[in-house]
Amino acid sequence: MTTSGFAGTVERHALGWLVAANLVGVWLAAVLLWPALAGITGPWGYGRWMPLHLNWQLYGWCSLPIVGALVAWFVRDDRVGRLHVRVALGAWSLALGLGGVSWLTGVTSGKLFLDWHGWARPLLPLAMLVLWSVLALQFWGRRHEFSSGGKWLRGAALALLLVVPNLLFWAAGREVYPSVNPHSGGATGASLLGSTLGVIVIFGLLPVMLRVRSRDGGAAGRWFWAALALSFAVYARVNHGDASHRAPGQIGALGVLLAWVPLLAVYLGRFEWHPAARPWLRAGMAWWALLVGTGFLTFLPGLSERLKFTNALVSHAHLAMAGLVTSLNLLMLRQLRGGGTRRGFWLWQLGCAVQVAVLMYAGWTEVSSEADWFLRADWTQAIYGVRLAAGLAMLVASITWLKETWA
Ligand code: HEM
């Protein structure tokens, strides 16, 4: 069990951004249902609010729990450590708040998730540097406490982390990586395999960073990393250039991920998670199975063409982030705090499941019923209505969790 004094700070920042981003999400869902509502906020129309929902979810809610895991790995949980964490997370939240002002006022690069532009471009990279300095300071102060392996691993992580703010600043520029890339036909099986394996590396490191004890003396860890190395070997061999999603090699490469449905669940299940964290692990693994299964199916020829750029993509995004990532984030927060209630658990899971299901159905109907969608026929309005209700349920669940952090 890991109990951390700074867990409360991490929770308040992370959940605060989840609530804020969900509020914007509910507003967007209401505007999709009743477009006239958009007029209430004057020039701040749908397109101005959209980056707030996306970036606050990604850089706020989806990032801060893993920042919390990093903090637990590096920072000593004493008065100075807690002050360091408050400064680092304060800088991070200030950057997100100011970012919100910039997107609402139209200062944006127009690049999805890389909207940081003009005066706002250096904000998040600077906040990342503040966090990095805190981690480096703590690492140096505690260097005699760590084993040589622990020192090596943390040193390597610090070196890698220093690349991130620079990369983010560079990638946000309009001159690189255009928002509409004329040379790309979309993600290939190889690129999807590579990026998902990268995510599996992070999932694999969670018990290490949170220092959760293994139930089998580390045996699961050994085969987990060996299987991951094998998967990366497949990734290295597959065609990385222009490749159709009809090519058997691309489909086969993506199929490797199917093996990771049981592998990840068995690996993470071999650790002594806090009882308050375990329901979130089970939910996370259920979402993971659904994500990999449906993600693979929707890559296949026939299905892919029908669903691309429809609400099915929005469904997939919420399945990944609101379902899987949110469940694993709550796992981290509960483990960090060493406790927590189950309040809001089912409200979130059911709200998310309904949102994912109706959006997938919406996407499926879009090619065959364009006119109904364009003219807002009653049944399409009903779908957006159910989606709004599901979003409200998720908003209420997130407010419950935030309120608990002050309890
Ligand atoms: C209160 C719950 C939520 C509601 C009502 C909601 C609503 C929305 C709406 C209306 C859109 C725009 C879709 C469009 O323009 O067609 C959207 C997009 C998106 N949301 Fe949410 N959302 C919620 C929660 C979340 C959460 C928790 C996450 C991540 C952790 C998230 C991540 C995303 C992403 C990544 C997209 C972009 C999808 C795409 O265009 O492919 N949302 N959401």
Side-chain angles (χ1 to χ4, degrees):
M1 182 175 103
T2 314
T3 313
S4 257
F6 39 63
T9 310
V10 174
E11 278 190 339
R12 277 189 281 278
H13 282 269
L15 290 169
W17 286 114
L18 175 65
V19 169
N22 282 350
L23 268 170
V24 179
V26 165
W27 174 247
L28 292 172
V31 171
L32 282 174
L33 183 59
W34 302 294
L37 279 182
I40 295 177
T41 51
W44 298 355
Y46 191 90
R48 292 278 177 95
W49 285 105
M50 190 63 183
L52 276 77
H53 178 63
L54 298 189
N55 293 323
W56 285 354
Q57 294 289 16
L58 183 71
Y59 296 111
W61 170 240
C62 293
S63 306
L64 287 171
I66 190 98
V67 166
L70 264 180
V71 159
W73 200 31
F74 277 88
V75 180
R76 186 189 284 128
D77 194 5
D78 58 11
R79 199 179 50 81
V80 178
R82 282 173 221 160
L83 180 70
H84 279 168
V85 173
R86 277 204 294 275
V87 169
L89 295 199
W92 194 287
S93 284
L94 183 67
L96 291 187
L98 290 173
V101 174
S102 82
W103 306 316
L104 269 184
T105 52
V107 181
T108 165
S109 66
K111 302 199 318 182
L112 205 64
F113 292 117
L114 288 169
D115 310 73
W116 307 94
H117 182 65
W119 59 266
R121 188 171 166 189
L123 290 176
L124 192 61
L126 283 175
M128 287 177 169
L129 286 176
V130 173
L131 172 68
W132 189 87
S133 309
V134 159
L135 299 182
L137 212 68
Q138 287 278 336
F139 175 65
W140 187 249
R142 302 181 65 193
R143 64 191 182 285
H144 302 302
E145 293 172 31
F146 302 133
S147 65
S148 63
K151 236 184 282 186
W152 189 90
L153 214 59
R154 285 176 178 83
L158 274 179
L160 267 177
L161 287 174
L162 195 53
V163 180
V164 180
N166 296 292
L167 209 59
L168 181 66
F169 184 83
W170 171 78
R174 273 185 175 156
E175 59 290 353
V176 288
Y177 198 54
S179 44
V180 178
N181 183 350
H183 304 298
S184 167
T188 60
S191 66
L192 289 169
L193 173 65
S195 56
T196 312
L197 288 178
V199 173
I200 295 174
V201 171
I202 300 178
F203 292 161
L205 285 174
L206 288 185
V208 180
M209 290 193 284
L210 292 165
R211 278 174 278 168
V212 188
R213 211 158 347 131
S214 162
R215 289 200 280 125
D216 62 8
R222 285 189 285 281
W223 61 251
F224 175 87
W225 295 109
L228 204 53
L230 206 66
S231 305
F232 271 113
V234 174
Y235 168 70
R237 286 194 65 84
V238 81
N239 177 10
H240 287 82
D242 283 341
S244 162
H245 66 138
R246 291 168 190 276
Q250 297 294 310
I251 297 174
L254 198 60
V256 168
L257 290 179
L258 294 173
W260 281 99
V261 169
L263 284 179
L264 186 66
V266 171
Y267 165 71
L268 288 176
R270 292 281 170 85
F271 290 89
E272 285 179 15
W273 298 98
H274 189 280
R278 274 186 227 138
W280 293 104
L281 178 61
R282 284 194 287 273
M285 291 304 98
W287 287 115
W288 169 243
L290 204 60
L291 179 71
V292 175
T294 55
F296 178 73
L297 284 177
T298 53
F299 181 78
L300 297 178
L303 288 178
S304 166
E305 293 84 346
R306 178 164 184 157
L307 296 175
K308 205 165 232 180
F309 305 127
T310 66
N311 268 310
L313 190 69
V314 187
S315 166
H316 181 73
H318 287 94
L319 169 47
M321 297 171 80
L324 168 65
V325 175
T326 296
S327 297
L328 292 187
N329 281 355
L330 262 303
L331 163 89
M332 284 186 251
L333 294 182
R334 294 294 181 249
Q335 185 70 28
L336 266 175
R337 190 216 281 216
T341 71
R342 275 183 76 150
R343 233 173 291 152
F345 176 86
W346 283 110
L347 196 58
W348 181 273
Q349 304 297 349
L350 290 175
C352 186
V354 169
Q355 165 145 228
V356 165
V358 291
L359 288 174
M360 182 53 82
Y361 176 71
W364 184 252
T365 63
E366 273 175 53
V367 272
S368 52
S369 323
E370 290 126 324
D372 278 3
W373 279 97
F374 189 70
L375 299 170
R376 299 198 290 123
D378 287 347
W379 68 273
T380 65
Q381 286 292 88
I383 286 183
Y384 275 150
V386 173
R387 189 269 191 97
L388 175 61
L392 275 168
M394 293 161 74
L395 174 65
V396 170
S398 60
I399 292 174
T400 313
W401 302 330
L402 182 62
K403 268 173 58 188
E404 273 184 3
T405 67
W406 270 284

